[in-house]
Amino acid sequence: MLLACLAAGSCVLDGAGIRDAAKSAGFGPKEVTAPDFVAQSRRGGGDFLPVGVSAPPRETRAKSAAGVKALEAELDASRQRNEAKGRDAAKVGGAVKPPAPPKVPPAE
């Protein structure tokens, strides 16, 4: 009895033996294949690059200094518009009075 417990205890450390036995007996999770639209949308060769291999060069180039300045100006203008909308919403929200508490009839 003690020998069986020790043998089972050594398998529990990583659980691989018990997991494999349960899977072969039909108690494990069922393998599910990807739907067709998922399989078709995946690109081939989606593995990781091996160590020491450089990634291929990017197709898009970095923005020029003028492009960065234009993007910053666009983002600043968008931030200012959003802040103005927030101030307007706060004014409208401050003008609305909260509803009165409900009238509770006296207890009998």
Side-chain angles (χ1 to χ4, degrees), residues 37-102:
F37 71 92
V38 173
Q40 292 170 358
S41 65
R42 291 182 180 161
R43 290 185 285 174
D47 295 331
F48 291 103
L49 292 175
V51 175
V53 175
S54 298
R58 294 180 179 223
E59 296 175 8
T60 57
R61 297 182 54 117
K63 289 188 179 289
S64 64
V68 170
K69 293 287 184 191
L71 179 61
E72 286 176 354
E74 180 183 337
L75 291 174
D76 283 338
S78 176
R79 179 182 49 82
Q80 290 172 353
R81 284 191 306 270
N82 288 338
E83 287 175 351
K85 288 178 184 178
R87 284 191 298 271
D88 291 343
K91 288 178 188 175
V92 170
V96 174
K97 294 183 176 134

Side-chain angles (χ1 to χ4, degrees), residues 9 14 18-19 23-24 35 38 40 44 57 87 99 103 105:
D14 68 347
I18 295 172
R19 181 185 62 236
K23 196 173 189 181
S24 65
V38 173
Q40 292 170 358
R87 284 191 298 271
K103 304 261 188 216

